Amino acid sequence: MVRSVPAHGEHGPAKLDGCSLPDIAMSFATATALREIPAAAHDGATPAIAAVRGEIEVRLAMRHAGARVLRLRYELVGRADAPVVLVAGGISAHRHIAANAVFGEKGWADGLVGAGRALAPSRRRLLGFDFIGADGGLDAPIDTADQADAVAALLDALGIDCLHGCVGYSYGALVGQQLAIRHPQRLGRLVAVSGAHRPHPYASAWRALQRRAVALGQLQCAETHGLALARQFAMLSYRTPEEFGERFDAAPEVVNGRVRVAAEDYLDAAGAQYVARTRVNAYLRLSESIDLHRVDPAAIGVPTLVVAVEGDRLVPLSDLVALVEGLGTRGSLRVLRSPYGHDAFLKETDRIDAILANALRLPGETA
């Protein structure tokens, strides 16, 4: 049974039977915050679905920033006897994957979690965590390898020997690749959606300009305006010309003597929403982290399903084909056609769910 991290003074959690633990250059402190409230079972024969939030402190040897003491925040939702799946999204994602009976606020991937889904908490225990640097408190280069080591530390603290799988979208796919390289004993399989083994130079150029927009805002003492502009640039790279042509094909208007095009309301809303929930330093450091990512596909040590989207301008299909070719017999590829580009994993929820149902299936289990 997976047990949550105890409060100070209690004994540590029992380990799940399974993979042996590798040596990791890190040390742990006990959790400093924890809340576990099981949702009521529908009948006496159905195990309760628990929702846990907590924090641990970990001393981590970071690749570019030396040894640091960091706080890792997580959420674990699902039946205690279910196989555990790590779900990690883009740099804007966080530990709250989806609304549940205990933590009812909207999650970043609500459409992919729920009854009847491959990621139903009645079938899988879902682990989400806040990326290192997501709170804006770490002003240092952050490598995806650091994120993978943090996951391994979190698994130790939670008493989870092996994950049944990791489902990684965008940045989460990069972290999943590093986990499969650095800690393959901890992972059964990887589903990497819209995340390659290296950043494409075109995408890196987009991100560099976004970071310059933030820097320009900082020079003008208006860093949130710079961050909003960076997010608006990002929305153009996430989506496709086809979607914009369908949604915003309207004549411009003259407002207060200025020409305003149809997409500007959408972009303004996207920028305002992002600024309201994101710290500037968190954005800058996690954006850099994407561009630092480089791995050898041949080093990925677990079966890996790569999901690509035609028309994704940030992670081109050709790069994901190269990733699968480098994986050899451990790799397979699924390709989606979608007008949503890089954001397809959040919009094409039914199609992604069908892929996950097969990828995460246990022996003898029907989709």
Side-chain angles (χ1 to χ4, degrees):
M1 175 181 292
V2 179
R3 298 181 183 173
S4 55
V5 183
H8 286 295
E10 297 180 5
H11 296 292
K15 293 289 183 183
L16 285 176
D17 292 335
C19 309
S20 60
L21 301 179
D23 292 330
I24 306 171
M26 53 185 75
S27 59
F28 311 100
T30 55
T32 57
L34 180 67
R35 182 153 71 110
E36 178 170 6
I37 308 174
H42 294 293
D43 56 65
T46 304
I49 295 175
V52 180
R53 278 183 182 171
E55 300 177 356
I56 66 168
E57 282 187 351
V58 55
R59 183 175 177 82
L60 190 70
M62 298 182 66
R63 178 167 291 188
H64 304 287
R68 299 288 180 116
V69 176
L70 305 171
R71 188 174 298 275
L72 306 182
R73 298 174 176 88
Y74 68 89
E75 183 173 309
L76 185 61
V77 180
R79 281 195 356 248
D81 61 342
V84 183
V85 176
L86 173 69
V87 184
I91 62 172
S92 302
H94 43 77
R95 65 180 176 177
H96 185 53
I97 303 165
N100 57 67
V102 179
F103 307 108
E105 63 271 27
K106 182 179 179 181
W108 63 266
D110 275 335
L112 289 164
V113 176
R117 293 292 197 184
L119 297 179
S122 60
R123 303 174 63 187
R124 304 284 183 266
R125 203 169 195 200
L126 307 180
L127 175 62
F129 81 110
D130 290 349
F131 292 122
I132 295 171
D135 62 359
L138 178 60
D139 192 14
I142 302 167
D143 201 279
T144 50
D146 302 328
Q147 305 285 7
D149 288 347
V151 171
L154 182 57
L155 296 180
D156 277 345
L158 294 175
I160 302 171
D161 282 357
C162 288
L163 294 165
H164 172 62
C166 170
V167 177
Y169 307 101
S170 189
Y171 186 66
L174 315 187
V175 175
Q177 292 166 23
Q178 290 280 20
L179 186 65
I181 290 171
R182 299 173 68 80
H183 309 283
Q185 304 94 329
R186 314 303 295 266
L187 182 60
R189 66 205 69 189
L190 171 63
V191 181
V193 185
S194 296
H197 55 295
R198 53 177 285 277
H200 194 280
Y202 175 85
S204 292
W206 264 105
R207 285 186 291 271
L209 288 179
Q210 291 162 30
R211 294 193 293 267
R212 288 188 182 186
V214 175
L216 182 60
Q218 290 173 323
L219 287 174
Q220 299 296 322
C221 299
E223 66 177 14
T224 57
H225 291 291
L227 181 59
L229 181 59
R231 181 63 172 182
Q232 291 165 348
F233 281 139
M235 297 308 297
L236 295 180
S237 65
Y238 295 157
R239 302 299 181 88
T240 65
E242 291 75 20
E243 183 195 4
F244 270 68
E246 187 174 308
R247 293 179 62 182
F248 305 115
D249 187 13
E253 298 178 346
V254 176
V255 179
N256 296 325
R258 296 286 184 177
V259 174
R260 187 171 180 85
V261 302
E264 287 190 66
D265 287 346
Y266 166 77
L267 294 174
D268 285 347
Q273 290 170 5
Y274 194 70
V275 166
R277 66 175 187 267
T278 306
R279 296 189 178 184
V280 170
N281 198 54
Y283 167 78
L284 290 172
R285 290 306 189 175
L286 290 175
S287 172
E288 291 174 345
S289 185
I290 301 172
D291 291 324
L292 282 173
H293 181 73
R294 297 286 192 286
V295 300
D296 177 3
I300 294 174
V302 305
T304 300
L305 172 63
V306 176
V307 182
V309 179
E310 284 190 5
D312 185 341
R313 295 194 292 167
L314 290 181
V315 187
L317 175 59
S318 57
D319 278 7
L320 293 175
V321 169
L323 169 59
V324 173
E325 289 175 343
L327 287 165
T329 58
R330 294 185 304 282
S332 57
L333 177 68
R334 290 289 302 271
V335 180
L336 297 180
R337 293 181 178 178
S338 171
Y340 298 113
H342 191 68
D343 271 356
F345 69 87
L346 291 175
K347 305 293 286 186
E348 304 283 4
T349 52
D350 289 343
R351 298 166 71 189
I352 293 292
D353 179 66
I355 291 171
L356 296 182
N358 286 318
L360 299 176
R361 186 179 302 169
L362 293 164
E365 184 180 50
T366 57

